[in-house]
Amino acid sequence: MSRYLSSGTRPLNDAEGSREEKSPPSDGAQASSAGFLLLDTALRPLYANQEALSALTYPTHLTKNADSLLESRVQALFEGANGSRQLKGNGSLTSGRRRYQLRLFSVRSPLANGFKPAVALLLERNKKPSIDLSNLPKRFRLTQREVETVEHLVRGFNTQQIAEGMGISPNTVKAFLRSIMMKMAADSRAGVIARILQA
């Protein structure tokens, strides 16, 4: 990882750059559950924190020669030719038993060297809802995207947060919610949650 580090970042030491366990990441609570990467204009990693390294290189052991593995896995997150900043699919990543929502941010850097960060990539852990939603598609004839909307709703997300989490517009979220309320015979978002709890 040392070649990916720019000035102002703390280099990874040997203990941080290696992982002894072979089990996949679990959903247990940890102090830091968000991965963070800085990428250059060609979407090559300049810096990655431990959570990002773990998520992107699982199940391979990290070694001092993990640079090319990390770079190829980061490149695989994007579609299109080199330089494209479009995340694949719905902008999510599965690593072992963990699921991450990927969020992309443009970065302007005052650094004068050739390794200016251009993009920050945040990997946010998706927490499983404590309510069992597995019977919703069959019971209420919900589509997969409608179920995904309900998953965000029971986490307490508002329309904008649901839109960002699903990679859709707020108006599309509202359309999904109207459809869900019709199918579940609920007149509000709280009514949707009440119907789920009654199931």
Side-chain angles (χ1 to χ4, degrees):
M1 273 302 299
S2 60
R3 79 175 188 170
Y4 291 144
L5 299 174
S6 61
S7 66
T9 60
R10 184 177 57 81
L12 297 176
N13 62 36
D14 289 341
E16 291 172 315
S18 63
R19 186 182 333 137
E20 295 301 321
E21 76 277 359
K22 289 195 176 193
S23 61
S26 67
D27 283 320
Q30 290 186 353
S32 171
S33 60
F36 178 77
L37 293 108
L38 280 177
L39 310 176
D40 67 12
T41 54
L43 302 176
R44 291 182 305 249
L46 298 172
Y47 173 81
N49 72 357
Q50 186 59 43
E51 184 74 16
L53 289 171
S54 297
L56 289 167
T57 60
Y58 177 81
T60 307
H61 275 306
L62 288 178
T63 65
K64 291 182 180 179
N65 298 322
D67 293 348
S68 60
L69 172 65
L70 180 63
E71 189 171 324
S72 67
R73 296 228 173 137
V74 168
Q75 294 290 328
L77 297 175
F78 297 88
E79 54 191 0
N82 276 345
S84 169
R85 292 188 186 173
Q86 182 69 38
L87 288 168
K88 280 186 180 173
N90 61 358
S92 64
L93 168 74
T94 301
S95 177
R97 291 175 286 182
R98 291 183 182 176
R99 290 196 64 217
Y100 295 86
Q101 191 67 37
L102 307 178
R103 297 180 68 193
L104 208 55
F105 302 91
S106 291
V107 176
R108 287 189 174 185
S109 172
L111 296 176
N113 62 24
F115 299 100
K116 288 187 178 183
V119 177
L121 183 61
L122 187 64
L123 290 75
E124 296 177 303
R125 290 268 302 280
N126 286 349
K127 306 285 191 246
K128 290 186 178 179
S130 57
I131 301 170
D132 181 21
L133 305 176
S134 60
N135 66 347
L136 288 184
K138 188 179 281 187
R139 183 160 185 226
F140 297 106
R141 296 181 301 141
L142 299 183
T143 66
Q144 182 59 41
R145 291 296 268 173
E146 288 170 341
V147 170
E148 193 177 340
T149 304
V150 171
E151 287 174 354
H152 290 296
L153 186 63
V154 299
R155 290 185 183 115
F157 288 8
N158 63 28
T159 301
Q160 186 63 40
Q161 291 169 322
I162 294 171
E164 290 173 4
M166 294 177 65
I168 57 179
S169 75
N171 286 337
T172 304
V173 172
K174 290 175 186 175
F176 280 146
L177 289 169
R178 281 193 298 272
S179 175
I180 290 163
M181 287 187 270
M182 267 185 24
K183 290 178 179 181
M184 296 180 77
D187 58 1
S188 67
R189 295 174 187 215
V192 168
I193 294 172
R195 294 280 287 154
I196 293 168
L197 293 174
Q198 292 167 359

